[in-house]
Amino acid sequence: MLQYIAMKRIAIFASGAGSNAQKIIQYFTHHSSISVVLIVCNKPGAGVTGIAQQYEIPVLIIEKEKFFSGDHYLKELHHHIIDFLVLAGFLWKIPVPIIEAFPQKILNIHPALLPKYGGKGMYGNNVHEAVIKAGETRTGISIHVVDEIYDNGKTIFSATCDVLPEDTTETLAARIHFLEHKYYPEVIKEYITNYAG
Ligand code: GRF
Protein backbone atom coordinates (compact mmCIF):
# COMPACT_ATOMS: atom_id res chain seq x y z
CA MET A 1 0.00 0.00 0.00
CA LEU A 2 1.29 3.45 -0.87
CA GLN A 3 1.71 5.69 2.13
CA TYR A 4 1.58 9.48 1.85
CA ILE A 5 4.21 11.22 3.98
CA ALA A 6 3.37 14.87 4.59
CA MET A 7 6.37 17.14 4.12
CA LYS A 8 7.40 19.02 7.24
CA ARG A 9 8.09 22.58 6.17
CA ILE A 10 10.82 24.66 7.83
CA ALA A 11 11.25 28.42 7.92
CA ILE A 12 14.79 29.46 8.80
CA PHE A 13 15.07 32.76 10.66
CA ALA A 14 18.51 34.24 10.01
CA SER A 15 19.96 37.69 9.66
CA GLY A 16 23.68 37.18 9.31
CA ALA A 17 26.12 35.55 6.93
CA GLY A 18 23.92 32.49 6.80
CA SER A 19 26.54 29.76 6.93
CA ASN A 20 24.32 27.62 9.17
CA ALA A 21 21.29 28.31 6.97
CA GLN A 22 23.29 27.13 3.97
CA LYS A 23 24.28 23.86 5.66
CA ILE A 24 20.67 23.24 6.70
CA ILE A 25 19.35 23.99 3.20
CA GLN A 26 21.94 21.68 1.63
CA TYR A 27 21.21 18.92 4.12
CA PHE A 28 17.48 18.90 3.39
CA THR A 29 17.68 19.52 -0.36
CA HIS A 30 16.76 15.96 -1.28
CA HIS A 31 15.16 14.89 1.97
CA SER A 32 11.99 12.88 1.57
CA SER A 33 9.94 14.42 4.38
CA ILE A 34 11.57 17.69 5.51
CA SER A 35 12.06 20.77 3.41
CA VAL A 36 13.31 24.36 3.89
CA VAL A 37 10.69 26.54 2.22
CA LEU A 38 11.24 30.05 3.59
CA ILE A 39 14.00 32.31 4.90
CA VAL A 40 12.89 35.01 7.31
CA CYS A 41 15.34 37.88 7.68
CA ASN A 42 15.32 41.29 9.31
CA LYS A 43 18.34 42.65 7.43
CA PRO A 44 17.88 43.26 3.71
CA GLY A 45 21.22 42.54 2.05
CA ALA A 46 22.43 40.11 4.75
CA GLY A 47 24.52 37.22 3.41
CA VAL A 48 21.72 34.77 4.05
CA THR A 49 19.50 36.50 1.45
CA GLY A 50 22.09 35.70 -1.26
CA ILE A 51 22.17 32.09 -0.12
CA ALA A 52 18.36 31.91 -0.29
CA GLN A 53 18.51 33.27 -3.83
CA GLN A 54 21.13 30.70 -4.80
CA TYR A 55 18.83 27.87 -3.65
CA GLU A 56 15.66 29.58 -4.94
CA ILE A 57 14.06 29.82 -1.53
CA PRO A 58 11.74 32.78 -0.95
CA VAL A 59 12.84 35.42 1.55
CA LEU A 60 10.48 37.24 3.85
CA ILE A 61 12.01 40.52 5.00
CA ILE A 62 10.45 41.52 8.28
CA GLU A 63 10.15 44.90 9.98
CA LYS A 64 10.76 45.44 13.67
CA GLU A 65 7.54 47.25 14.54
CA LYS A 66 5.33 44.75 12.75
CA PHE A 67 7.26 41.80 14.16
CA PHE A 68 6.87 42.94 17.74
CA SER A 69 3.24 43.91 17.27
CA GLY A 70 2.69 40.23 18.02
CA ASP A 71 0.97 38.20 15.39
CA HIS A 72 1.54 40.27 12.25
CA TYR A 73 3.80 37.72 10.55
CA LEU A 74 1.84 34.70 11.71
CA LYS A 75 -0.37 35.04 8.65
CA GLU A 76 2.71 34.86 6.39
CA LEU A 77 4.01 31.77 8.19
CA HIS A 78 0.64 30.07 7.87
CA HIS A 79 0.45 31.13 4.23
CA HIS A 80 3.69 29.22 3.61
CA ILE A 81 2.27 26.29 5.62
CA ILE A 82 5.24 26.33 7.99
CA ASP A 83 5.54 23.51 10.54
CA PHE A 84 8.83 24.33 12.32
CA LEU A 85 10.93 27.46 12.82
CA VAL A 86 14.71 27.14 12.93
CA LEU A 87 16.72 30.11 14.19
CA ALA A 88 20.25 30.38 12.84
CA GLY A 89 21.75 33.72 13.72
CA PHE A 90 18.50 35.55 14.41
CA LEU A 91 18.76 38.06 17.23
CA TRP A 92 15.25 39.36 17.85
CA LYS A 93 13.23 37.74 20.58
CA ILE A 94 10.37 35.67 19.17
CA PRO A 95 7.01 37.23 20.19
CA VAL A 96 4.70 35.16 22.38
CA PRO A 97 1.91 34.72 19.77
CA ILE A 98 4.43 33.06 17.43
CA ILE A 99 5.77 30.84 20.22
CA GLU A 100 2.21 29.83 21.07
CA ALA A 101 1.39 29.10 17.44
CA PHE A 102 4.46 26.82 17.19
CA PRO A 103 4.56 25.02 20.56
CA GLN A 104 7.94 23.27 21.02
CA LYS A 105 8.42 23.76 17.30
CA ILE A 106 11.08 26.46 17.35
CA LEU A 107 14.77 25.59 17.65
CA ASN A 108 17.77 27.86 18.16
CA ILE A 109 21.51 27.34 18.16
CA HIS A 110 23.68 29.17 20.65
CA PRO A 111 27.48 29.37 20.31
CA ALA A 112 28.28 28.44 23.94
CA LEU A 113 27.31 25.92 26.59
CA LEU A 114 24.05 27.20 28.05
CA PRO A 115 23.00 28.26 30.61
CA LYS A 116 26.38 30.02 30.81
CA TYR A 117 27.02 32.86 28.35
CA GLY A 118 23.40 33.18 27.30
CA GLY A 119 20.77 35.90 27.51
CA LYS A 120 20.29 39.30 25.96
CA GLY A 121 23.41 40.75 24.35
CA MET A 122 25.12 37.37 24.33
CA TYR A 123 25.54 36.74 20.63
CA GLY A 124 28.32 36.36 18.09
CA ASN A 125 31.73 37.51 19.20
CA ASN A 126 30.37 38.87 22.51
CA VAL A 127 29.93 35.27 23.58
CA HIS A 128 33.41 34.15 22.54
CA GLU A 129 34.97 37.23 24.12
CA ALA A 130 33.24 36.49 27.43
CA VAL A 131 34.30 32.83 27.31
CA ILE A 132 37.95 33.75 26.69
CA LYS A 133 37.90 36.50 29.31
CA ALA A 134 36.53 34.10 31.93
CA GLY A 135 39.46 31.76 31.29
CA GLU A 136 37.27 28.83 30.26
CA THR A 137 39.16 25.87 28.84
CA ARG A 138 36.06 24.31 27.23
CA THR A 139 33.18 25.82 25.30
CA GLY A 140 30.76 24.53 22.69
CA ILE A 141 27.33 24.79 21.14
CA SER A 142 23.83 24.37 22.52
CA ILE A 143 20.75 23.58 20.48
CA HIS A 144 17.59 24.39 22.40
CA VAL A 145 13.86 24.78 22.13
CA VAL A 146 12.80 28.43 22.09
CA ASP A 147 10.47 29.84 24.73
CA GLU A 148 9.58 33.37 25.89
CA ILE A 149 12.97 33.94 27.57
CA TYR A 150 16.25 34.41 25.69
CA ASP A 151 18.33 31.20 25.52
CA ASN A 152 16.16 29.58 28.19
CA GLY A 153 14.28 26.67 26.58
CA LYS A 154 15.26 23.06 27.03
CA THR A 155 18.67 22.17 25.56
CA ILE A 156 18.26 19.13 23.31
CA PHE A 157 21.86 18.83 22.17
CA SER A 158 25.28 20.16 23.02
CA ALA A 159 28.80 19.53 21.79
CA THR A 160 32.04 20.83 23.23
CA CYS A 161 35.47 21.97 22.06
CA ASP A 162 38.66 23.33 23.58
CA VAL A 163 39.40 26.96 24.26
CA LEU A 164 43.13 27.29 23.59
CA PRO A 165 45.35 29.75 25.43
CA GLU A 166 46.21 31.49 22.16
CA ASP A 167 42.57 31.74 20.98
CA THR A 168 41.14 34.99 19.69
CA THR A 169 37.40 35.52 19.21
CA GLU A 170 37.97 34.74 15.50
CA THR A 171 39.78 31.42 16.00
CA LEU A 172 37.24 30.36 18.61
CA ALA A 173 34.33 31.40 16.38
CA ALA A 174 35.76 29.24 13.59
CA ARG A 175 35.95 26.19 15.87
CA ILE A 176 32.36 26.81 17.02
CA HIS A 177 31.10 27.22 13.46
CA PHE A 178 32.65 23.87 12.60
CA LEU A 179 30.61 22.20 15.36
CA GLU A 180 27.45 24.06 14.35
CA HIS A 181 27.71 23.03 10.71
CA LYS A 182 28.47 19.46 11.67
CA TYR A 183 25.58 18.96 14.07
CA TYR A 184 22.75 21.46 13.58
CA PRO A 185 21.17 19.94 10.42
CA GLU A 186 21.18 16.44 11.86
CA VAL A 187 19.78 17.51 15.23
CA ILE A 188 16.98 19.37 13.41
CA LYS A 189 16.22 16.25 11.41
CA GLU A 190 16.10 14.07 14.53
CA TYR A 191 13.96 16.56 16.42
CA ILE A 192 11.41 16.98 13.65
CA THR A 193 11.30 13.28 12.85
CA ASN A 194 10.65 12.37 16.48
CA TYR A 195 8.37 15.29 17.30
CA ALA A 196 5.31 13.85 18.96
CA GLY A 197 3.30 17.10 19.27
C1 GRF B 1 26.06 31.20 14.84
O1 GRF B 1 27.29 31.18 15.49
C2 GRF B 1 24.95 30.86 15.79
O2 GRF B 1 25.35 30.10 16.88
C3 GRF B 1 24.48 32.20 16.28
O3 GRF B 1 24.66 33.07 15.21
C4 GRF B 1 25.70 32.60 14.37
C5 GRF B 1 25.21 32.62 12.95
O4 GRF B 1 26.23 32.41 12.02
N1 GRF B 1 23.15 32.10 16.81
P1 GRF B 1 25.88 32.20 10.50
O5 GRF B 1 25.12 33.43 10.02
O6 GRF B 1 25.06 30.97 10.39
O7 GRF B 1 27.20 32.06 9.80
Side-chain angles (χ1 to χ4, degrees), residues 2-56:
L2 268 182
Q3 229 185 354
Y4 175 71
I5 303 170
M7 269 284 177
K8 294 293 178 205
R9 296 163 64 86
I10 297 177
I12 299 179
F13 282 52
S15 293
S19 69
N20 279 284
Q22 182 164 20
K23 292 288 175 192
I24 298 164
I25 292 167
Q26 286 170 346
Y27 186 89
F28 290 112
T29 294
H30 299 296
H31 197 274
S32 59
S33 60
I34 299 171
S35 168
V36 177
V37 298
L38 183 68
I39 302 294
V40 179
C41 177
N42 67 275
K43 273 199 197 133
V48 70
T49 61
I51 289 167
Q53 209 173 6
Q54 191 185 331
Y55 292 89
E56 299 179 351

Side-chain angles (χ1 to χ4, degrees), residues 14-22 48 87-91 108-112 123-124 128 141-142 173 176-177 180-181:
S15 293
S19 69
N20 279 284
Q22 182 164 20
V48 70
L87 316 190
F90 185 77
L91 302 185
N108 181 41
I109 189 160
H110 186 77
Y123 60 87
H128 307 312
I141 60 167
S142 306
I176 290 291
H177 261 117
E180 294 184 330
H181 298 164

Side-chain angles (χ1 to χ4, degrees), residues 19 28 32-33 45 50 68 74 76 79 88 108 112 119-120 128 133 138-139 166 168-169 172 181-182 187 197:
S19 69
F28 290 112
S32 59
S33 60
F68 289 111
L74 257 185
E76 295 271 4
H79 172 75
N108 181 41
K120 197 166 165 43
H128 307 312
K133 219 172 173 175
R138 300 289 288 169
T139 186
E166 65 271 25
T168 61
T169 52
L172 191 51
H181 298 164
K182 182 171 177 195
V187 172

Side-chain angles (χ1 to χ4, degrees), residues 144-166:
H144 66 94
V145 178
V146 172
D147 65 12
E148 296 83 353
I149 302 165
Y150 266 121
D151 300 326
N152 178 71
K154 184 176 175 216
T155 294
I156 57 164
F157 177 87
S158 61
T160 64
C161 64
D162 287 332
V163 182
L164 303 174
E166 65 271 25

